[in-house]
Amino acid sequence: MIKKKKKFNSERLTFRRYQHGDGAEFHNAIESNPQHLALAVEGAKQGFGLDLTTGEGCELFVRTLIAGWEARQRLIFPFWSKESCQFVGELWIECKDWEQGIHEIGYFVVQSETGKGIATEAARAGVRFIFEHLNAHKVALTCDEDNLPSYRVAEAAGFVREWHIRDAVQR
């Protein structure tokens, strides 16, 4: 059961669920980071049939994420820098098995904030949220085998490599 927690903080970040109207902020992040977020944009296009190169497409995507939250499919937390109040990334939590308490976590950070420990801080805060509010037994984090920075974030956040899955995503 998801407790009513819809907002939380870490040392430098504020996390909250998406709200109607947040598509403009999301669109700005996409526009400002075209190469850095290209895989996320392509995934949204393939998975949801939405064009994230437009403000309207981003708002529809945000509303899809809000509906996913309500359906308990995926909990998405955009996050902002406490210092600058700027959008700096997104944390998502996907339940793999509610009964067994198995969840998966993922994230992205805008390019200007990479290399500052933001992704590690977000991953740690997300894991803490999952164990404290979702009655988790296990949390998984997967990343592309070529994405060494994300692999380092996973290690720094305390994840241990349990297995290597090859060709799980068709390209």
Side-chain angles (χ1 to χ4, degrees):
M1 175 65 83
I2 303 172
K3 297 178 185 174
K4 296 289 182 185
K5 187 92 169 167
K6 298 176 185 179
K7 181 178 178 181
F8 62 98
N9 295 300
S10 65
E11 183 180 334
R12 297 178 290 170
L13 305 170
T14 297
F15 301 78
R16 69 159 169 81
R17 61 186 285 187
Y18 274 115
Q19 301 169 359
H20 292 266
D22 282 342
E25 190 82 44
F26 188 76
H27 182 249
N28 185 47
I30 297 293
E31 289 289 303
S32 301
N33 298 271
Q35 285 80 27
H36 184 64
L37 299 179
L39 285 175
V41 170
E42 187 58 33
K45 189 172 188 177
Q46 288 180 2
F48 298 96
L50 295 172
D51 180 4
L52 299 186
T53 62
T54 69
E56 180 181 344
C58 286
E59 182 62 27
L60 287 170
F61 184 63
V62 163
R63 290 176 184 222
T64 300
L65 299 177
I66 293 168
W69 178 294
E70 297 299 330
R72 293 176 37 144
Q73 296 166 330
R74 184 178 291 157
L75 309 179
I76 307 294
F77 290 98
F79 52 91
W80 287 262
S81 163
K82 286 182 182 178
E83 183 180 315
S84 69
C85 298
Q86 296 293 312
F87 175 91
V88 293
E90 186 180 88
L91 173 75
W92 64 92
I93 300 166
E94 188 168 338
C95 181
K96 296 300 184 183
D97 186 328
W98 281 105
E99 283 186 31
Q100 299 297 316
I102 301 171
H103 304 278
E104 184 173 359
I105 191 170
Y107 47 82
F108 76 77
V109 174
V110 297
Q111 191 164 15
S112 64
E113 297 300 312
T114 60
K116 299 178 182 178
I118 299 292
T120 301
E121 184 175 332
R124 287 178 179 154
V127 169
R128 200 168 37 256
F129 177 88
I130 292 168
F131 280 105
E132 290 176 4
H133 300 282
L134 302 181
N135 300 319
H137 169 71
K138 183 173 187 160
V139 178
L141 186 154
T142 59
C143 59
D144 190 271
E145 65 184 322
D146 298 329
N147 190 343
L148 294 179
S150 192
Y151 184 78
R152 287 187 204 107
V153 166
E155 286 182 324
F159 285 87
V160 176
R161 185 175 179 169
E162 290 187 356
W163 67 83
H164 180 108
I165 303 170
R166 289 181 294 192
D167 299 326
V169 177
Q170 188 175 15
R171 296 174 197 202

